[in-house]
Amino acid sequence: SSGINAEWPLRPGLYCPCAMLGSEEEEPLLSSQDQELAVSVQPQSISCDPKLYSIFVVAFDTRAGNIIEWNYPDSFDLTGVEFKALPSGAHNVQHDIMLFEIHNYFGLAAYIMKQVDSVSERGARMKSVGVVCSNYLTLAQHEERLVEMAQDSVERPGDTYEHLIQYFTEFNEVSTVPLPMEMKPPMVGSMYDLLKSQGVNIFSLWKMLLLKKRILLHCTPPIARHCNYVLCLAALSYTQYTQPQPIFYVTVNDMTTLRYKESYIACSADAILKTKGALVYDVYVTGSAVLTDTDVAVPVTRGDHVRYMQLSGAVDRNYGNRNTAEVDRMILSYFTKLTEDLFSTLHNVMSGTRKMEVEDLRDVRLHTSDLPYLQTLVDKLGYDVELLQPGCCDEHFKEHFRGTVF
């Protein structure tokens, strides 16, 4: 073993979207004044087919560029994987992890670059070793071995990769029955980093996720960080009412796929995709900037600013007293409750008066400034709900909202 795992800083870890949430038996995450944040939600188990459909090695050739150096079995179509598993700018980092969708399957690849004294290789040997399965929830278990195999691949050029075939075969022999999978969360600190990097825009992104917009994050290697952000965004809007579609790392070769997807969350280092606009995305996130066309824009509201100040304040009060994983769970718990309360209230209103009052807004932590968005949401989902505009009680509602912790 190369020992690289002990220093691996960017391991994404894949998740069941509720796996970051605490159970009822855990110690509360917050002080008594912020107890409403610490929503207790049981982790879910999802039954997934763990079978591997392909294992492969991608390499950089100084003459041909990115190539599929080896793959098994030959019958599986890996067209395009050479660009997903060895992304633009990979030469700027020593190692990385990529998660991606390929032909309706999902792949995970570990990348290693080794400095070599070779003129033909221009001083660097770059390879990725990856696997493909039917569901990204089952990929985490392969990560450590893929890192080891990628390290071996750059250390031993000309390898026949018989040990990769052995790994593929032995895994499938003992993994023929779908099993309940409880996945690891994204890299610890990812949710906190996303909140701090996006600021109040995190609420605008959350709203657009509920509208099932196509969201593309610009990234540069290491790609693993942004694969984690994709996981986090999917988790923010994951409930029984919403099912976000994370497709992770994409390239310019995926333009046709992106064009015809109704909804997705992805990241890419191919800056040319930014120029394609509404052809391939609805929302483009670069750094802390959220770019949209006017037709799909969801402006930050006064309510968003209030919610962000409250959430960020609670997170900051607890960041020094709790470990980072607990803070991540706290943030996810908040958004999960926000989403579930919103949809459950909408469903309750539809089964009753079909009229949403100002009091209903307060109950789901929305502000009167959120009414235009809420109208867009109910129209998008086809909900038969009438939103009553605030009247004389508006000022009382604003004061109550401002004084509510969450």
Side-chain angles (χ1 to χ4, degrees):
S1 173
S2 64
I4 192 169
N5 289 332
E7 302 176 352
W8 200 254
L10 293 166
R11 301 178 60 194
L14 312 181
Y15 78 120
C16 164
C18 291
M20 293 178 68
L21 303 177
S23 69
E24 295 178 353
E25 298 178 354
E26 289 183 333
E27 179 184 356
L29 299 177
L30 304 177
S31 60
S32 57
Q33 70 189 84
D34 297 323
Q35 283 300 311
E36 193 172 354
L37 258 179
V39 183
S40 293
V41 180
Q42 292 288 351
Q44 295 181 357
S45 294
I46 297 179
S47 182
C48 300
D49 175 12
K51 178 183 177 181
L52 290 180
Y53 288 86
S54 178
I55 189 166
F56 62 86
V57 179
V58 165
F60 179 77
D61 184 276
T62 55
R63 295 183 179 181
N66 292 19
I67 61 169
I68 301 175
E69 181 178 273
W70 176 92
N71 64 287
Y72 179 85
D74 294 337
S75 57
F76 191 86
D77 182 11
L78 287 172
T79 304
V81 77
E82 64 270 35
F83 303 107
K84 293 174 179 284
L86 223 169
S88 300
H91 62 279
N92 291 319
V93 295
Q94 297 294 317
H95 42 72
D96 205 353
I97 293 284
M98 283 69 61
L99 186 59
F100 51 87
E101 183 187 53
I102 181 164
H103 312 313
N104 297 317
Y105 291 82
F106 287 91
L108 179 71
Y111 159 81
I112 298 288
M113 178 177 71
K114 176 181 173 61
Q115 302 295 331
V116 294
D117 185 16
S118 169
V119 175
S120 63
E121 294 178 286
R122 299 178 185 173
R125 184 176 301 141
M126 295 180 283
K127 294 189 180 185
S128 291
V129 177
V131 293
V132 175
C133 69
S134 62
N135 193 311
Y136 67 88
L137 292 174
T138 67
L139 284 168
Q141 60 193 308
H142 303 289
E143 186 180 325
E144 185 173 346
R145 285 291 291 124
L146 289 177
V147 171
E148 294 173 355
M149 290 187 286
Q151 183 68 40
D152 288 342
S153 72
V154 296
E155 297 287 354
R156 300 187 299 178
D159 196 331
T160 59
Y161 299 124
E162 292 297 326
H163 60 296
L164 271 67
I165 297 177
Q166 181 181 359
Y167 178 80
F168 177 92
T169 303
E170 290 181 354
F171 180 83
N172 281 348
E173 285 177 351
V174 299
S175 304
T176 56
V177 179
L179 298 173
M181 304 293 294
E182 289 189 3
M183 296 299 111
K184 298 183 296 182
M187 183 178 68
V188 171
S190 293
M191 194 68 73
Y192 177 81
D193 289 345
L194 182 65
L195 176 69
K196 290 303 182 180
S197 66
Q198 291 304 313
V200 70
N201 282 335
I202 193 70
F203 285 96
S204 183
L205 285 172
W206 168 73
K207 291 175 180 178
M208 287 185 279
L209 284 164
L210 298 187
L211 289 172
K212 300 182 179 180
K213 298 299 183 182
R214 300 171 299 166
I215 298 179
L216 181 62
L217 312 180
H218 173 67
C219 62
T220 56
I223 303 301
R225 179 183 299 114
H226 282 79
C227 285
N228 276 288
Y229 289 165
V230 170
L231 289 171
C232 289
L233 287 172
L236 291 184
S237 57
Y238 185 94
T239 70
Q240 60 178 311
Y241 306 108
T242 58
Q243 296 183 356
Q245 302 296 319
I247 59 173
F248 307 101
Y249 187 73
V250 297
T251 73
V252 67
N253 297 310
D254 295 306
M255 279 185 55
T256 301
T257 300
L258 299 179
R259 181 177 180 179
Y260 291 105
K261 277 190 176 292
E262 180 182 352
S263 174
Y264 70 77
I265 313 168
C267 60
S268 181
D270 291 352
I272 192 173
L273 288 175
K274 179 182 178 181
T275 67
K276 304 304 177 181
L279 184 66
V280 296
Y281 64 82
D282 299 315
V283 182
Y284 190 84
V285 182
T286 174
S288 61
V290 178
L291 310 178
T292 64
D293 290 336
T294 54
D295 291 344
V296 298
V298 177
V300 172
T301 66
R302 179 184 174 188
D304 292 330
H305 282 287
V306 174
R307 281 184 292 270
Y308 179 72
M309 286 189 295
Q310 293 174 335
L311 176 58
S312 182
V315 166
D316 290 342
R317 285 193 297 274
N318 286 273
Y319 189 72
N321 301 322
R322 301 283 179 178
N323 66 50
T324 308
E326 289 177 321
V327 173
D328 281 354
R329 287 195 295 270
M330 180 180 71
I331 297 168
L332 183 54
S333 294
Y334 171 77
F335 277 100
T336 298
K337 182 165 176 57
L338 192 64
T339 305
E340 290 183 340
D341 284 353
L342 172 58
F343 279 93
S344 62
T345 298
L346 286 172
H347 280 260
N348 289 338
V349 169
M350 282 196 299
S351 63
T353 64
R354 298 187 183 275
K355 294 180 179 181
M356 192 164 187
E357 308 277 356
V358 171
E359 290 294 322
D360 295 317
L361 282 179
R362 183 170 61 196
D363 290 343
V364 297
R365 304 187 184 105
L366 293 184
H367 189 270
T368 51
S369 61
D370 298 310
L371 279 170
Y373 165 75
L374 193 56
Q375 185 66 63
T376 301
L377 181 64
V378 297
D379 291 345
K380 168 75 174 180
L381 299 177
Y383 287 179
D384 184 13
V385 173
E386 179 184 358
L387 304 180
L388 298 183
Q389 297 299 316
C392 61
C393 61
D394 185 24
E395 290 305 315
H396 168 74
F397 171 72
K398 289 179 180 177
E399 292 300 323
H400 186 98
F401 182 88
R402 192 157 46 238
T404 302
V405 175
F406 281 99

